[in-house]
Amino acid sequence: MAYLSRNFSPEGRELDRLLRRSSDTNATVQDQVAQILNRVATEGDAALFALEEQFTKAKLASLSVSEEEFLEAEALVSASLKKALREAASNIRFFHEAQLPQGERLTVATGIELSRKIVPIQRVGLYVPGGTAPLISTTLMLGIPAQVAGCKDVVLCTPSDASGKVHPAILYAASMCSITKVFKLGGAQAIGAMAYGSESVPKVDKIFGPGNQYVTEAKKQVSASCCSIDMPAGPSEVMVVATLDADPGFVASDLLSQAEHGLDSQSMLVIVGDKEGGFAFLDRVEEQLSLQLKALDRQTFLLSSLAHSHAIVCPTLEQGAKVVNAYAPEHLIINTTDPSELEALVVNAGSIFLGPYSCESAGDYASGTNHTLPTAGWAHSTSGVSTDSFLKKITVQKLSKQGLSDLSETLVSLSEAERLTAHRNAVLIRLGGEI
Amino acid sequence: MAYLSRNFSPEGRELDRLLRRSSDTNATVQDQVAQILNRVATEGDAALFALEEQFTKAKLASLSVSEEEFLEAEALVSASLKKALREAASNIRFFHEAQLPQGERLTVATGIELSRKIVPIQRVGLYVPGGTAPLISTTLMLGIPAQVAGCKDVVLCTPSDASGKVHPAILYAASMCSITKVFKLGGAQAIGAMAYGSESVPKVDKIFGPGNQYVTEAKKQVSASCCSIDMPAGPSEVMVVATLDADPGFVASDLLSQAEHGLDSQSMLVIVGDKEGGFAFLDRVEEQLSLQLKALDRQTFLLSSLAHSHAIVCPTLEQGAKVVNAYAPEHLIINTTDPSELEALVVNAGSIFLGPYSCESAGDYASGTNHTLPTAGWAHSTSGVSTDSFLKKITVQKLSKQGLSDLSETLVSLSEAERLTAHRNAVLIRLGGEI
């Protein structure tokens, strides 16, 4: 049995078809989300309590996590998990601190000084999915850059279970990032609460974090009106590029670790080699998939994801690079003889993993890079979350009278060409001219 | 007659009301734009020719500007305007080159190397409005950072007049930025053409530039599905903060230069001073408004914009700063006794102009800062266009076997806590462990 579709050197429409993501904008989801957002905007906390009860069965006494619950959570997290979170946090912090920009300060000409002032976004909201796969690591991936950037108010929403409890490791990770405002909210209602504010939940300026289709749709809807978001999100995906000398077991393990994320994840394999050798290598990957699959939980997710995943054999590295850049994968694993050779050709990807020992899990958890990355082809135009995502750059200029005077001929000429008389006058009046 | 509403130290809901932007999402515009985009997506060039004829009356032989038309345009632009464009371009280039990031390269631990690879967005589309106020300067403000960033394919759309001609200075400015692909397209159809591509117009990854409500709505719609945009745009706005020692004539000229942009521009004035002194200063500004208005074209725009503009007297600088940060103005002019004192308190603004001689016109045209800035309160969470806007940062990691091994305990612990077995296995198989 073959898990992946088998393709040799596809071109044109055939290649387009293989690289297309399933993007079914579900009108029902859109309507449901719009209704939830509207309820949250108009009814505030009352809607939030009711919606949480409806979706999680939890009858909450308070939306916010109490100090006692934070202490309880700390006691529940094992020493080994705490140690792991500390090491991960340390690496993430190191990399994200290095990303802090300085801001420029320039004198363009005498009396014309320009600079960029770096300011943290004041109020940010982080969404951390709970449920069957509690994304503990996401708490660090969003909380640390928010802290490094210096955001003033950081709010975190994550759903509770039916008993009204939040996953203890998520709370522990939140407190590692000095986040104290945690709310028991999931789904579209969590996004609405942060976008509009309620009696309990403070309004924020920008919302970050992954989620299911309701969360994603809610982020899309609020971003059209009143609140920024980190990026449009879609199902997670990996593209592995391998040459024939790669270890098929490593390759299979990377495809599987992506496929276990959800029903609609995608694991793409690009094999650089001739047709015969490429398909022979693919056979060995398939064997490994079959073998490794047996040991895994989440069989439904794995089989569903693999069912819409493809293997593409490309005769040259250049053709492989073309496929990579056309697909613009969220995660790109380059498991080739000389990884840097292909890396130099890559212009569209969220995050790149070089060589046989750089598995995606490393970046997902603890090497230090951020795991919040552009999916669904958005890597053509956007970057993953970084410290930059939590900062603004405000341009500042200061002109002296002389500086303005030296520039005035240019300003007058351009404002006249654009027929904006008042723009011209704002210059002339300052220089004592007739207006 | 008073042009601005007069308010002293407003708080709470009263302040909210004054700072609210008029944001009427017009359902008719939404539908019209959706229909235009759909036509462009399905019919391509045929739709583009038909729509341009419908909106501009131009019967175009070709959508693209020919080499002859570029030469013709060059001959039509006056020597003085060319000189002005050259000086503006030189300053803009200087500031935007200084913004080029380096990318970090770090060794987190032995065998764990992280970096960020800076890559230009490959295909970008620039929209430059034509018509009654041809935004020649916008061509430089978008074309120069695209060139500095190194974008591979740069497409520019701007509407022609009824005779099928594009404003010569826009073409001349485009060629100053080495842009050769200019298309005679305006409105929602221009945005659709760049987002989807057509027989004539190449598809792009990100669209930049200002425009009327149809352009803005079209950018919003395509950004929800297939193409990034620079920022959500709204009517242009300025907030001037003045102390009682400011020149009322300068202040009035700045309010007017904003108000002439369109029917729905907003010119806000914050006066720092006691009630009596503040209102007396306001009287002098009103006098100047009345005086200066007479000399201006575009009376309809000016009067309409001023009609929904407000003056707010704040007794302290801190209160003034609170108003500024709540409004998050696109342009902030600080015309106070000590501008840097207030500047230090500002966290939400698009661009700041310090002192009596830094009029907005300077930044609009030629000091070197970018004039594409966040409006409608988006300065709470977003920055103006800069070289960054044309770049992506791709994280790259390379782990050695030793590096992965040293990190493995942490990776295994975290993947088990998140119940992602395949993530764990991708680590273990590389270290020869049992999976």
Side-chain angles (χ1 to χ4, degrees):
Chain A
M1 178 198 164
Y3 294 101
L4 307 173
S5 86
R6 300 163 82 86
N7 308 275
F8 178 71
S9 196
E11 301 259 348
R13 280 169 189 245
E14 177 53 16
L15 180 61
D16 288 350
R17 189 188 61 77
L18 291 171
L19 301 185
R20 194 171 302 139
R21 273 77 161 186
S22 57
S23 66
D24 42 353
T25 22
N26 187 324
T28 319
V29 172
Q30 284 177 17
D31 287 349
Q32 285 174 319
V33 166
Q35 279 171 31
I36 291 173
L37 291 179
N38 187 43
R39 263 186 82 181
V40 173
T42 52
E43 299 166 30
D45 273 4
L48 296 174
F49 279 111
L51 288 162
E52 279 307 309
E53 183 169 351
Q54 183 184 331
F55 292 114
T56 68
K57 313 285 171 232
K59 286 181 195 294
L60 301 172
S62 163
L63 293 174
S64 72
V65 170
S66 68
E67 221 170 304
E68 291 74 48
E69 287 174 304
F70 270 108
L71 291 172
E72 228 175 81
E74 192 178 341
L76 286 169
V77 178
S78 71
S80 64
L81 183 53
K82 280 181 184 162
K83 183 164 170 272
L85 286 167
R86 271 199 305 276
E87 180 166 15
S90 157
N91 292 349
I92 297 166
R93 194 175 298 278
F94 184 56
F95 191 47
H96 287 76
E97 278 175 351
Q99 293 166 5
L100 272 171
Q102 292 306 311
E104 306 76 22
R105 187 166 289 278
L106 296 177
T107 301
V108 169
T110 313
I112 307 180
E113 287 165 32
L114 309 183
S115 61
R116 285 203 295 176
K117 169 174 164 151
I118 313 290
V119 181
I121 297 174
Q122 300 293 293
R123 309 171 296 181
V124 298
L126 317 181
Y127 184 77
V128 177
T132 52
L135 292 188
I136 306 161
S137 53
T138 301
T139 315
L140 299 182
M141 292 292 176
L142 302 177
I144 291 172
Q147 203 183 12
V148 167
C151 298
K152 217 171 122 201
D153 297 311
V154 183
V155 168
L156 187 148
C157 285
T158 190
S160 72
D161 61 18
S163 77
K165 291 290 172 200
V166 165
H167 193 292
I170 291 178
L171 289 187
Y172 183 76
S175 48
M176 286 173 70
C177 310
S178 306
I179 299 170
T180 54
K181 291 177 194 151
V182 176
F183 296 94
K184 298 171 181 175
L185 288 167
Q189 62 270 26
I191 304 304
M194 295 191 279
Y196 310 129
S198 77
E199 297 88 332
S200 298
V201 185
K203 180 195 167 11
V204 303
D205 301 315
K206 187 170 182 180
I207 296 175
F208 297 77
N212 62 21
Q213 57 179 340
Y214 293 90
V215 170
T216 300
E217 176 61 26
K219 283 173 67 186
K220 196 192 261 191
Q221 289 188 20
V222 301
S223 77
S225 61
C226 65
C227 187
S228 288
I229 60 170
D230 49 355
M231 66 184 76
S236 193
E237 66 204 19
V238 73
M239 184 171 262
V240 179
V241 185
T243 38
L244 305 184
D245 52 350
D247 185 313
F250 294 10
V251 171
S253 76
D254 291 330
L255 298 174
L256 291 169
S257 80
Q258 188 57 52
E260 76 175 334
H261 270 294
L263 286 170
D264 44 11
S265 303
Q266 201 172 29
S267 295
M268 304 283 278
L269 173 58
V270 175
I271 299 167
V272 179
D274 63 298
K275 188 167 180 180
E276 200 188 354
F279 282 136
F281 180 83
L282 178 54
D283 287 338
R284 295 167 62 206
V285 173
E286 289 279 356
E287 242 169 69
Q288 280 290 325
L289 285 173
S290 173
L291 209 73
Q292 294 181 30
L293 251 171
K294 293 190 188 115
L296 297 176
D297 310 329
R298 299 178 160 249
Q299 292 285 324
T300 324
F301 286 178
L302 288 160
L303 294 175
S304 159
S305 295
L306 292 176
H308 50 256
S309 295
H310 309 292
I312 299 174
V313 177
C314 292
T316 67
L317 203 68
E318 287 65 34
Q319 249 185 287
K322 208 180 123 192
V323 171
V324 167
N325 288 326
Y327 186 69
E330 180 191 13
H331 304 97
L332 173 66
I333 299 180
I334 305 185
N335 197 341
T336 57
T337 319
D338 177 3
S340 59
E341 200 183 345
L342 178 59
E343 194 234 314
L345 303 175
V346 173
V347 288
N348 297 326
S351 190
I352 302 176
F353 299 74
L354 288 179
Y357 294 100
S358 304
C359 51
E360 193 196 307
S361 325
D364 281 348
Y365 290 125
S367 62
T369 57
N370 208 292
H371 76 195
T372 314
L373 297 166
T375 55
W378 289 101
H380 279 103
S381 54
T382 61
S383 314
V385 163
S386 70
T387 305
D388 302 339
S389 316
F390 294 84
L391 295 170
K392 294 177 297 180
K393 294 172 180 173
I394 304 176
T395 50
V396 182
Q397 62 201 288
K398 186 170 187 177
L399 278 73
S400 68
K401 188 170 183 181
Q402 189 58 49
L404 182 64
S405 173
D406 291 346
L407 202 60
S408 61
E409 203 183 312
T410 291
L411 297 175
V412 167
S413 174
L414 284 165
S415 46
E416 285 177 350
E418 292 192 359
R419 302 177 213 162
L420 294 171
T421 347
H423 280 62
R424 180 195 62 192
N425 289 2
V427 178
L428 296 182
I429 198 174
R430 285 171 158 88
L431 302 173
E434 292 271 324
I435 67 167
Chain B
M1 178 196 164
Y3 294 101
L4 307 174
S5 85
R6 300 163 82 86
N7 308 276
F8 178 71
S9 196
E11 300 258 349
R13 279 169 191 246
E14 178 54 16
L15 180 60
D16 289 348
R17 188 187 62 75
L18 291 171
L19 302 185
R20 194 171 303 138
R21 273 78 161 186
S22 57
S23 66
D24 41 354
T25 21
N26 188 323
T28 318
V29 171
Q30 282 176 19
D31 288 347
Q32 285 174 319
V33 165
Q35 278 171 30
I36 291 173
L37 291 178
N38 187 43
R39 261 186 84 182
V40 173
T42 51
E43 298 166 31
D45 274 3
L48 297 173
F49 279 110
L51 288 161
E52 280 306 308
E53 182 168 352
Q54 181 183 334
F55 293 115
T56 67
K57 313 283 171 233
K59 288 182 194 293
L60 301 172
S62 161
L63 294 174
S64 71
V65 170
S66 67
E67 219 170 305
E68 291 73 48
E69 287 174 304
F70 271 108
L71 291 173
E72 228 175 82
E74 192 178 342
L76 286 169
V77 178
S78 71
S80 63
L81 183 53
K82 280 181 185 163
K83 182 163 171 272
L85 287 167
R86 271 199 305 274
E87 179 165 15
S90 157
N91 292 349
I92 297 166
R93 192 175 299 278
F94 185 56
F95 191 47
H96 287 76
E97 277 175 352
Q99 293 167 5
L100 272 171
Q102 292 305 312
E104 306 76 22
R105 185 166 290 279
L106 296 177
T107 302
V108 169
T110 314
I112 307 180
E113 288 165 32
L114 309 183
S115 61
R116 284 203 293 176
K117 168 175 165 152
I118 313 288
V119 181
I121 298 174
Q122 299 295 293
R123 308 171 296 181
V124 299
L126 317 181
Y127 185 77
V128 176
T132 53
L135 292 187
I136 305 161
S137 53
T138 301
T139 315
L140 298 181
M141 292 291 177
L142 302 176
I144 291 173
Q147 202 183 12
V148 167
C151 298
K152 217 172 122 201
D153 296 310
V154 183
V155 167
L156 188 149
C157 285
T158 191
S160 73
D161 61 18
S163 76
K165 290 290 172 199
V166 166
H167 194 291
I170 291 178
L171 289 187
Y172 182 76
S175 49
M176 286 174 70
C177 309
S178 307
I179 299 171
T180 54
K181 291 178 195 150
V182 176
F183 296 93
K184 298 171 181 176
L185 287 167
Q189 62 272 26
I191 304 303
M194 294 191 279
Y196 311 129
S198 77
E199 296 89 332
S200 298
V201 185
K203 179 194 168 11
V204 303
D205 300 316
K206 188 170 181 179
I207 295 174
F208 297 78
N212 62 20
Q213 56 179 338
Y214 293 91
V215 170
T216 299
E217 176 61 26
K219 281 173 67 185
K220 197 192 260 190
Q221 290 187 19
V222 300
S223 76
S225 61
C226 65
C227 187
S228 287
I229 61 170
D230 49 355
M231 65 184 75
S236 193
E237 65 205 19
V238 74
M239 182 171 265
V240 179
V241 185
T243 38
L244 306 183
D245 52 350
D247 185 314
F250 293 9
V251 171
S253 75
D254 290 329
L255 297 174
L256 291 169
S257 80
Q258 188 58 52
E260 77 176 332
H261 270 294
L263 286 169
D264 45 11
S265 303
Q266 200 171 30
S267 296
M268 305 284 278
L269 172 59
V270 175
I271 300 167
V272 179
D274 62 297
K275 188 169 179 177
E276 201 188 350
F279 283 135
F281 179 82
L282 178 54
D283 288 337
R284 295 167 62 207
V285 172
E286 289 279 357
E287 244 169 68
Q288 280 290 327
L289 284 174
S290 174
L291 210 73
Q292 293 182 29
L293 251 171
K294 292 187 189 117
L296 297 176
D297 312 327
R298 299 179 161 248
Q299 292 285 325
T300 324
F301 287 179
L302 288 159
L303 294 175
S304 159
S305 295
L306 291 176
H308 51 257
S309 296
H310 310 292
I312 299 174
V313 178
C314 292
T316 67
L317 203 67
E318 287 65 35
Q319 249 184 287
K322 207 180 122 191
V323 171
V324 168
N325 288 325
Y327 186 69
E330 180 191 12
H331 304 98
L332 173 65
I333 299 180
I334 306 185
N335 197 341
T336 58
T337 319
D338 177 3
S340 59
E341 202 183 345
L342 178 57
E343 193 234 316
L345 303 175
V346 172
V347 287
N348 297 326
S351 191
I352 303 176
F353 298 75
L354 289 178
Y357 294 100
S358 304
C359 52
E360 194 197 306
S361 324
D364 281 347
Y365 290 125
S367 63
T369 57
N370 207 291
H371 76 194
T372 314
L373 296 166
T375 56
W378 289 101
H380 279 104
S381 53
T382 60
S383 314
V385 163
S386 69
T387 305
D388 303 339
S389 316
F390 293 85
L391 294 169
K392 295 176 297 178
K393 294 172 178 172
I394 303 176
T395 51
V396 182
Q397 61 200 288
K398 186 170 186 177
L399 279 75
S400 68
K401 189 170 183 181
Q402 189 58 49
L404 182 64
S405 173
D406 292 346
L407 203 61
S408 62
E409 205 182 310
T410 290
L411 297 176
V412 167
S413 175
L414 284 165
S415 46
E416 284 176 353
E418 293 191 358
R419 300 176 216 162
L420 294 172
T421 347
H423 280 61
R424 181 194 62 194
N425 288 3
V427 178
L428 295 183
I429 198 174
R430 284 170 157 87
L431 302 172
E434 291 271 326
I435 65 167

